[in-house]
Amino acid sequence: MSKKYGFIGAGNMAEALMKGMISSGLCTADDLIASEVVPERRDYVARTLGIVVTTDNVEVVKEAKTIILAVKPNVVSIVLDELKPLLTADHLVISIAAGVKISFIEAHLNWGVRVVRVMPNQPCLVGASASGFALGKSAKKEDKDAVQTILDSVGVAFAMDEKLLDAVTGLSGSGPAYIYLVIEAMADGGVLAGLPRDVSQTLAAQTVLGAAKTVLETKGHPAQFKDMVSSPAGTTSEGMKVLEESAVRGAFIRAVEAASKRSQELGKS
């Protein structure tokens, strides 16, 4: 075996993860191999990342012992059934297929294959992922450490019970889309107030980044910093009044809850 990591599927999330792993120095392009069924996607990933991309899932398993399963949930069983004769206890299978339970994956593999289920998110593309992961029955401490290292190379990650991964899906898995909507809306507000579009979008995105860094680096409560910005009868207080009247806080809570429930439904189907 000549590769450290093999990806079954080279879609957007797999691409983001591979880019992050390479950018962080965890591995080089020569350490990676991926399979992809869509010709245009295959050519794009090979060209932009400089990795070997094949049409053959079997080739990936023959080349690497750490396999990242990055296919759509509805084809997981088909792919695993194809690879079952080749996957042994020497392999670590890391699944990033949304909603697919560890028990389902293990049921399609030989006993002893080590399985870890991961819920990453799209900002791993820029080294700012927020992930959760859970270990299967045969996974070992060194597998936990290996997955932690991979995910830490592209952001932050937490090991947890599998039952909590649906909540991770609703919060950080789907969360980037919520925040992109916030950035877009804030930028639109800036344009409405007279700012050029490019300036307004950059200010909005940088504001979100700065607020997030403040919470993460100081470990303070968000409400603490909200109160610091909101002076009596000031501009921020007026803006917060509008947000509270529009039930924005409740909308975000319900969005996370709805996405979490949808993840549970996908896991049952």
Side-chain angles (χ1 to χ4, degrees):
M1 294 184 177
S2 62
K3 305 294 183 181
K4 286 185 178 179
Y5 306 102
F7 280 75
I8 305 296
N12 291 331
M13 184 60 74
E15 177 193 358
L17 191 55
M18 287 187 281
K19 279 185 177 178
M21 291 166 66
I22 294 170
S23 298
S24 71
L26 178 67
C27 63
T28 67
D30 290 337
D31 293 324
L32 298 172
I33 183 172
S35 59
E36 174 57 46
V37 296
V38 179
E40 295 80 10
R41 184 70 189 169
R42 190 165 58 244
D43 294 342
Y44 167 79
V45 171
R47 183 177 66 256
T48 57
L49 297 186
I51 70 170
V52 174
V53 186
T54 176
T55 61
D56 189 0
N57 294 335
V58 170
E59 182 182 352
V60 173
V61 174
K62 287 182 176 179
E63 288 289 336
K65 286 188 177 180
T66 299
I67 305 298
I68 294 87
L69 186 64
V71 297
K72 297 294 184 183
N74 62 319
V75 298
V76 166
S77 61
I78 298 171
V79 171
L80 291 179
D81 289 344
E82 174 194 13
L83 299 177
K84 181 177 180 178
L86 298 167
L87 291 168
T88 71
D90 290 333
H91 288 93
L92 170 60
V93 175
I94 303 170
S95 173
I96 63 172
V100 180
K101 294 186 179 299
I102 292 172
S103 59
F104 180 88
I105 297 170
E106 291 177 334
H108 287 267
L109 296 173
N110 295 308
W111 173 256
V113 179
R114 294 123 59 205
V115 175
V116 176
R117 178 184 167 192
V118 176
M119 184 62 238
N121 71 353
Q122 184 260 354
C124 63
L125 179 64
V126 292
S129 181
S131 307
F133 67 97
L135 306 183
K137 293 178 181 178
S138 298
K140 305 173 183 178
K141 182 183 183 301
E142 50 264 41
D143 299 323
K144 176 184 176 182
D145 293 341
V147 173
Q148 187 78 55
T149 297
I150 292 171
L151 297 177
D152 282 349
S153 76
V154 294
V156 299
F158 297 91
M160 60 187 65
D161 291 340
E162 185 181 17
K163 64 183 180 181
L164 297 176
L165 289 183
D166 291 319
V168 174
T169 301
L171 176 58
S172 58
S174 301
Y178 313 155
I179 302 305
Y180 296 142
L181 182 66
V182 169
I183 293 171
E184 181 184 30
M186 288 176 63
D188 286 345
V191 171
L192 180 64
L195 292 172
R197 170 65 63 181
D198 58 339
V199 172
S200 188
Q201 180 170 305
T202 299
L203 288 174
Q206 183 67 27
T207 298
V208 170
L209 174 62
K213 281 176 66 68
T214 300
V215 172
L216 289 172
E217 294 183 9
T218 66
K219 302 189 184 305
H221 195 284
Q224 167 192 349
F225 302 114
K226 179 197 69 175
D227 290 347
M228 288 172 61
V229 179
S230 303
S231 55
T235 59
T236 304
S237 297
E238 193 67 24
M240 289 300 301
K241 176 174 176 288
V242 173
L243 293 177
E244 294 292 1
E245 289 174 346
S246 301
V248 169
R249 182 197 304 266
F252 273 105
I253 293 172
R254 291 194 300 275
V256 173
E257 181 184 35
S260 300
K261 286 183 177 179
R262 180 57 179 156
S263 178
Q264 293 174 350
E265 293 169 359
L266 289 172
K268 294 175 183 178
S269 62

